[in-house]
Amino acid sequence: MMSVGSAHWLLKGGGGVDMAALRDRMFGYLFFDTAYELALPFVKGQALNTSFVVHHVVGVAAHSVARRHPSSPMAATFAPYVYLAEFSTVFLHLSWMCNLLGKTDTALFTINGSLGAAAYLAFRVFLPPVTFYQLIIQERRDPPWVDRFFLATHAAFVALNLFWLPELLAMIRRKMFPPRVVAPAKKKKTR
């Protein structure tokens, strides 16, 4: 829902959506998801996914600063694009559900994965450099530390998205071109 709200906000030129409420919901989601990621090693014995934790901690920090500076032009430019990037997460969660249910050979999984990859490329690979450029060239009205903070936060998100890109491409390659299982060669009988 946050991604749909952000798209509406961007298309309407910043009107029609309560960005403060949207920001608070995203803050809550990120706070919960951070706690969840930190608890997984203890509850399920899984390894800590450091990149997810960094992603969520950076997001919580960005939302904390945005909440303290609600009239910040930098936060107003930054937040909707971050929420658009989260649009790809919807597809990721549906893919995880299909995987857990053993439904990876279904049309739903394939279509969902294709849409998710397209959303990832559009909103996490191609759009962020444009957004970063917009953040750099916009008029500075925030305290200097707020400007630098949002630029650094955005750079961290761009780096994480590019870090995850090879993993996404490898998953697509494995799905499209599964490894062939070759039967072992029969041994010839010797006398």
Side-chain angles (χ1 to χ4, degrees), residues 133-153:
Y133 176 73
Q134 287 177 333
L135 291 174
I136 290 172
I137 65 168
Q138 79 179 18
E139 180 183 344
R140 300 287 185 239
R141 288 181 276 166
D142 289 326
W145 76 269
V146 173
D147 281 344
R148 287 190 297 273
F149 175 81
F150 279 113
L151 288 171
T153 300

